[in-house]
Amino acid sequence: MNKKLLLQNQLCFPIYAASRLITQLYGEHFKAFDLTYPQYLVFLVLWEKAPRKVTEIADLLLLDTGTVTPLIKRMEKRGWITRKRSAKDERTVEVHLTAEGRKLEKHFTTLPDKLLCDVDCKKGELETLHKTLNKLNEQMKITLEGGHHE
Amino acid sequence: MNKKLLLQNQLCFPIYAASRLITQLYGEHFKAFDLTYPQYLVFLVLWEKAPRKVTEIADLLLLDTGTVTPLIKRMEKRGWITRKRSAKDERTVEVHLTAEGRKLEKHFTTLPDKLLCDVDCKKGELETLHKTLNKLNEQMKITLEGGHHE
DNA sequence: CACAATTTAATTGCACACAATATAAATGGG
DNA sequence: CCCATTTATATTGTGTGCAATTAAATTGTG
């Protein structure tokens, strides 16, 4: 048996697990609104600036249009956003926030801090985590970018 | 606009992004075998010890049986594993590796190291990342555990 | 200006991921 | 020993997540 391949020696697994645990933790707070974690991420980028094009949202969240299109359609059905073909470029679709969607923001402004309270980590430890992950992600993006074309 | 809710200020997003980027990076290497990342994780725990019960696999990978059952059925269809009801306890299903499934291991023993080569991070930096994530995950597991019953 | 190449969304198909439910087997207290 | 409870797995329904394809609009080049 190869020691390298033990689950507990893999870096990939704690990241995979953390991602799903975070989704579940957030989920507890979203349940009452019938909101999901990926939909919350779409809200994050729209609360910062709206309208945005579908591609813009997909690029920021590193998601495929095949993921984003049905996702925002569900958000439209809930009355949180609207989708409009741009007049200037008929190819693009602009995603607008409705008053309903804008109103949701105030329910979640303190949520990130609230979740961090559950976590017994030093502030510096979390900042290091954040920075290392950003660096790692940038490098993985480049590696993937290179592989698609050749 | 709340600064706290900017995407780049969230810790949750880099983790979510890293998880999906890792899945895609591994995916490049799995394509030739028609293997997926979650199936690879099942292999990791089976290569370490087999047979294992379905619940055991689900517990180790923090997955729902609703995820694991169909996943291992697909692996069975590929001829990598077999599923047998235990004679001692008819409720449990034991997941065994086939010769085919066992053979796959040698193709992936160097894979984790190979992927780390793409990453320009100091060894200590990655160890810190690993440790912090493990701590974080333990705490999230406890928080979620508490919430389900009350 | 024509038209091939590119860009933008949407669609299709398959594989997770999980909550909620169902079902069958084992367990334990009276 | 009986039956309520618990345990192990499977099923159903909904929502991602992504590769591959399609279709329509725009752009760049001769």
Side-chain angles (χ1 to χ4, degrees):
Chain A
M1 169 65 203
N2 193 317
K3 284 264 168 54
K4 289 260 166 101
L5 285 185
L6 286 173
L7 192 64
Q8 72 243 80
N9 295 336
Q10 305 286 323
L11 176 57
C12 64
F13 178 67
I15 295 176
Y16 169 75
S19 177
R20 289 184 299 107
L21 287 167
I22 288 172
T23 300
Q24 286 172 49
L25 271 183
Y26 268 98
E28 310 256 310
H29 297 271
F30 294 156
K31 231 180 332 190
F33 300 91
D34 194 22
L35 178 68
T36 67
Y37 179 70
Q39 290 169 16
Y40 169 72
L41 292 181
V42 171
F43 266 133
L44 286 189
V45 300
L46 287 179
W47 287 330
E48 183 190 347
K49 175 165 114 54
R52 281 193 197 267
K53 294 174 203 151
V54 172
T55 307
E56 216 179 326
I57 296 172
D59 286 348
L60 286 167
L61 303 182
L62 308 183
L63 288 168
D64 196 277
T65 63
T67 301
V68 173
T69 296
L71 196 158
I72 60 179
K73 280 186 180 176
R74 284 187 283 272
M75 294 178 77
E76 187 181 33
K77 208 173 285 180
R78 292 286 279 101
W80 291 328
I81 57 141
T82 57
R83 301 182 316 127
K84 278 200 261 289
R85 285 269 163 199
S86 160
K88 293 181 185 169
D89 187 339
E90 286 281 343
R91 291 171 305 179
T92 68
V93 168
E94 285 179 348
V95 181
H96 296 256
L97 278 170
T98 63
E100 274 297 303
R102 218 174 285 279
K103 255 199 296 185
L104 267 186
E105 182 178 9
K106 69 171 188 298
H107 293 288
F108 300 118
T109 48
T110 61
L111 186 50
D113 281 338
K114 214 182 293 175
L115 291 177
L116 284 177
C117 285
D118 290 340
V119 160
D120 183 30
C121 274
K122 287 183 195 68
K123 204 164 185 293
E125 211 169 354
L126 294 176
E127 276 164 15
T128 304
L129 179 65
H130 199 142
K131 264 180 222 160
T132 308
L133 284 170
N134 277 339
K135 189 161 77 167
L136 220 58
N137 286 344
E138 285 312 310
Q139 290 168 4
M140 289 195 284
K141 275 194 263 182
I142 291 165
T143 305
L144 282 167
E145 191 57 28
H148 287 315
H149 311 305
E150 30 155 336
Chain B
M1 170 66 202
N2 194 316
K3 283 265 168 52
K4 287 261 167 97
L5 284 185
L6 285 172
L7 192 65
Q8 73 243 77
N9 295 334
Q10 305 287 321
L11 177 57
C12 64
F13 178 67
I15 295 175
Y16 169 75
S19 177
R20 289 182 300 108
L21 286 167
I22 288 171
T23 301
Q24 287 173 50
L25 271 182
Y26 269 98
E28 310 257 310
H29 297 271
F30 294 156
K31 231 179 335 192
F33 300 92
D34 194 23
L35 178 69
T36 66
Y37 179 70
Q39 289 170 16
Y40 169 72
L41 291 180
V42 171
F43 266 132
L44 285 189
V45 300
L46 288 179
W47 287 330
E48 183 190 347
K49 175 166 112 57
R52 283 193 196 268
K53 294 175 203 151
V54 172
T55 306
E56 216 178 329
I57 296 172
D59 286 348
L60 287 168
L61 303 182
L62 309 183
L63 288 168
D64 196 276
T65 63
T67 300
V68 173
T69 296
L71 197 159
I72 61 179
K73 280 186 179 174
R74 284 187 284 271
M75 293 177 77
E76 187 181 33
K77 207 173 286 178
R78 292 287 279 102
W80 291 327
I81 58 141
T82 56
R83 299 179 319 126
K84 279 201 261 288
R85 284 271 162 199
S86 160
K88 292 180 187 170
D89 186 339
E90 286 281 342
R91 293 171 305 176
T92 69
V93 168
E94 285 179 348
V95 181
H96 295 257
L97 277 170
T98 63
E100 274 297 303
R102 218 173 285 279
K103 255 198 296 184
L104 266 186
E105 182 178 9
K106 68 169 186 301
H107 293 287
F108 300 118
T109 47
T110 61
L111 186 50
D113 281 337
K114 214 181 296 176
L115 291 177
L116 284 178
C117 286
D118 291 340
V119 161
D120 182 31
C121 274
K122 287 185 197 68
K123 204 164 185 293
E125 210 169 353
L126 294 176
E127 276 165 16
T128 303
L129 179 66
H130 199 143
K131 262 179 225 161
T132 307
L133 284 170
N134 277 340
K135 189 162 76 168
L136 220 58
N137 286 343
E138 284 313 310
Q139 290 168 6
M140 289 194 284
K141 275 194 264 182
I142 292 166
T143 304
L144 282 167
E145 192 58 29
H148 288 315
H149 312 305
E150 32 155 338

